[in-house]
Amino acid sequence: MYVRIQLYVDRSGLFNLLGFSGDGGQATSAKFYRPSGLAVDFATNRLFVSDSSNERIRVIDLSTGIVTTYMGDGARGANDGPISAARTNAPSGMAIDQTRRYLYFVEVRSKNIRRINLNTNTVATIMTDPGYSTVGNIYLDAENQKLYIGDNGYIWQANLTTNTMAKIAGAGMGTDPDGPGNN
């Protein structure tokens, strides 16, 4: 089954579907507000979506096309624990460790890096305000436990074993020099 989601560009150039609706129904009829991150869980055939301005992580069952809210209730927050009680603060980039069964995501407003254990459905903050300011894309190197974050002219490397962050490339939008370093 193919799922088609229509995205519109608003006046600021951001993709959105202007609102929230559709839980329990077909994803083709659902509304999202600034969907900014996508990750496929191949084990369960689900597509996770960072519904950023709705403060939710939603999931689309790729077999049925049904969309539901996986985490968040629309209120901002960064509390950890069971996904039924956890909140998020503008979730953005996402990546799944298919072997360890973790969904990693970054938050734009709180600047946290968080992880959902897909086996236990629990959320944990693994880094708080590690240095990035905005998030474009993220990439997970699951074998080496590194998460790469594209951010406003920088590329950051988060070491998921030591919970440390380092800038590895980019001059940014200001005057910082290229090259490795801690920030």
Side-chain angles (χ1 to χ4, degrees), residues 23-102:
D23 268 6
Q26 289 296 309
T28 54
S29 300
K31 290 186 179 180
F32 296 80
Y33 192 19
R34 291 197 174 108
S36 57
L38 303 171
V40 175
D41 182 1
F42 296 109
T44 61
N45 203 30
R46 297 182 299 177
L47 174 68
F48 288 89
V49 181
S50 290
D51 195 356
S52 190
S53 289
N54 281 322
E55 312 298 346
R56 300 171 196 261
I57 293 177
R58 297 173 80 186
V59 65
I60 300 170
D61 183 314
L62 296 174
S63 299
T64 64
I66 301 294
V67 63
T68 56
T69 294
Y70 185 70
M71 176 190 156
D73 60 7
R76 290 182 187 168
N79 52 317
D80 293 338
I83 59 165
S84 60
R87 289 184 171 165
T88 185
N89 202 348
S92 186
M94 306 176 92
I96 292 181
D97 182 333
Q98 301 287 340
T99 303
R100 291 176 183 86
R101 306 296 301 139
Y102 289 128

Side-chain angles (χ1 to χ4, degrees), residues 93-112:
M94 306 176 92
I96 292 181
D97 182 333
Q98 301 287 340
T99 303
R100 291 176 183 86
R101 306 296 301 139
Y102 289 128
L103 170 67
Y104 292 94
F105 65 99
V106 293
E107 296 173 320
V108 174
R109 286 190 198 97
S110 64
K111 298 182 174 71
N112 291 333

